[in-house]
């Protein structure tokens, strides 16, 4: 069934677990995420990254079948625009039926970020959609200007507390040590859980971990303990599929192509299921 993140995150907050949000860039990846959630009887969020929607699939054509898949699912599924910083595009996604949007105005001053976000919260309410926002920001370990998140980029708890109170967002992404993308082999980031604890104690709001891939089981478990209710993972889901395709073609270059597409998202499903287990959301669909 198709829902906004509001109810599913409120339930996660009350019961002390996190809902997984996994990135998809096409129908097959979305299908793998929903199938994994159904097998685990877990609520799930499909994150569609703004920049990838623009690059790989047109909003009003390919997002519609993903929404239809969510409607037909046996577990609660939300479709969330991930890192929406083009406000015109974000409004279009609401109009196209996204049940959730992330309004990422974190590059602006805290006051401007709050002002832009407040406007989107009001608009989203007319669609029955939920809104995620971000205070502080995270680096990205891939791309031309790749860099890890440093302490200058961490969320200031006092700014975040005021932001949540001023905007009425449904959940807030906080920066406390994770970075988008993949980490070097064997590297485990240091998380500053006190940032999450302080915001949680003051607001009680659902908080979000971005860049969950490769952060390690202990960081994940502790994040959920201190109040994270949504965990974003994209890279690990994609790596599992890429490695499956590379290994399969190395062993059999003539592997049937339609079968390879099917089998690759099935390989990714194992990663999604492992994260559902770690987040505590298994058997929490209802
Ligand atoms: Zn993110």
């Amino acid at each position: 069934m198709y829902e906004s993140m509001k109810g599913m995150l409120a339930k996660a907050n009350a019961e002390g677990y996190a809902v997984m949000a996994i990135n998809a860039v096409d129908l097959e990846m979305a299908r793998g995420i929903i199938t994994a959630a159904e097998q685990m009887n877990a609520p799930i969020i499909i994150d569609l990254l703004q920049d990838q929607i623009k690059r790989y699939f047109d909003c009003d054509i390919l997002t519609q079948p993903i929404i239809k898949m969510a409607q037909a699912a046996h577990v609660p599924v939300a479709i969330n625009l991930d890192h929406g910083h083009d406000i015109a595009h974000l409004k279009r996604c609401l109009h196209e039926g996204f049940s959730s949007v992330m309004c990422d105005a974190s590059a602006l001053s805290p006051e401007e970020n709050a002002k832009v976000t407040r406007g989107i919260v009001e608009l989203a309410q007319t669609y029955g959609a939920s809104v995620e926002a971000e205070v502080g920001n995270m680096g990205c370990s891939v791309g031309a200007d790749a860099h890890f998140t440093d302490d200058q980029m961490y969320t200031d708890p006092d700014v975040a507390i005021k932001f949540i109170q001023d905007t009425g967002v449904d959940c807030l992404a906080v920066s406390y040590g994770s970075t988008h993308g993949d980490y070097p082999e064997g590297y485990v980031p240091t998380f500053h859980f006190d940032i999450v604890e302080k915001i949680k104690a003051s607001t009680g709001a659902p908080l979000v971990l971005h860049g969950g891939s490769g952060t390690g089981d202990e960081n994940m478990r502790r994040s959920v303990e201190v109040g994270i209710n949504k965990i974003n993972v994209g890279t690990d889901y994609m790596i599992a599929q890429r490695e499956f395709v590379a290994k399969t073609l190395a062993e059999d270059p003539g592997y049937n192509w339609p079968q390879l597409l099917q089998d690759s998202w099935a390989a990714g499903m194992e990663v999604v299921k492992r994260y559902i287990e770690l987040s505590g959301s298994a058997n929490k669909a209802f």
Side-chain angles (χ1 to χ4, degrees):
M1 56 221 53
Y2 189 41
E3 296 183 5
S4 82
M5 301 196 302
K6 196 182 186 78
M8 64 170 78
L9 294 186
K11 182 174 183 292
N13 200 4
E15 297 180 20
Y17 61 90
V19 179
M20 290 308 305
I22 312 287
N23 285 101
V25 301
D26 60 17
L27 302 185
E28 288 76 15
M29 287 179 74
R31 189 170 163 206
I33 297 163
I34 290 175
T35 307
E38 286 180 328
Q39 290 182 7
M40 297 296 282
N41 193 32
I44 198 82
I45 297 159
I46 296 182
D47 263 349
L48 303 178
L49 185 65
Q50 174 203 282
D51 293 350
Q52 290 176 336
I53 294 175
K54 286 182 166 184
R55 195 179 312 144
Y56 300 125
F57 52 112
D58 185 63
C59 192
D60 59 356
I61 297 174
L62 275 182
T63 54
Q64 292 308 308
I66 296 177
I67 290 172
K68 274 194 178 151
M69 276 193 263
Q71 288 165 341
H74 304 303
V75 293
V77 181
I79 307 292
N80 182 46
L81 172 69
D82 194 21
H83 291 285
H85 42 82
D86 174 342
I87 297 302
H89 181 265
L90 182 151
K91 289 178 177 174
R92 184 177 161 202
C93 289
L94 281 171
H95 187 67
E96 297 293 344
F98 279 51
S99 68
S100 306
V101 289
M102 177 189 187
C103 172
D104 182 358
S106 60
L108 304 177
S109 69
E111 295 75 23
E112 282 297 308
N113 186 2
K115 190 176 161 202
V116 171
T117 303
R118 199 165 42 238
I120 296 302
V121 168
E122 282 170 18
L123 178 66
Q125 278 168 355
T126 66
Y127 290 94
S130 57
V131 178
E132 174 180 351
E134 178 172 316
V135 169
N137 57 85
M138 299 113 201
C140 185
S141 65
V142 291
D145 57 346
H147 61 286
F148 285 120
T149 303
D150 62 42
D151 51 6
Q152 302 292 316
M153 297 157 75
Y154 292 166
T155 301
D156 179 333
D158 293 326
V159 172
I161 291 163
K162 185 173 182 337
F163 184 92
I164 291 169
Q165 290 161 348
D166 287 351
T167 59
V169 282
D170 296 288
C171 60
L172 185 72
V174 291
S175 174
Y176 59 101
S178 66
T179 298
H180 290 114
D182 200 12
Y183 296 103
E185 184 87 35
Y187 178 88
V188 178
T190 301
F191 278 10
H192 299 268
F193 296 107
D194 54 314
I195 293 173
V196 180
E197 283 172 321
K198 190 170 179 192
I199 302 167
K200 193 74 172 191
S202 187
T203 65
L207 302 174
V208 184
L209 166 63
H210 278 235
S213 291
T215 55
D217 293 6
E218 195 43 43
N219 274 335
M220 289 287 224
R221 261 193 288 274
R222 185 102 181 85
S223 291
V224 175
E225 266 173 32
V226 298
I228 292 293
N229 298 119
K230 172 177 180 265
I231 298 175
N232 285 18
V233 162
T235 303
D236 280 353
Y237 184 45
M238 296 185 221
I239 288 174
Q241 291 167 86
R242 185 183 68 204
E243 287 182 348
F244 174 83
V245 169
K247 180 172 168 286
T248 305
L249 289 181
E251 287 168 1
D252 179 5
Y255 201 90
N256 178 270
W257 175 245
Q259 193 62 45
L260 185 66
L261 290 178
Q262 294 283 309
D263 292 351
S264 66
W265 64 255
M269 270 173 52
E270 295 311 311
V271 171
V272 177
K273 286 158 77 170
R274 194 175 74 78
Y275 274 112
I276 286 173
E277 197 72 60
L278 263 178
S279 67
S281 61
N283 294 313
K284 294 286 188 182
F286 304 104

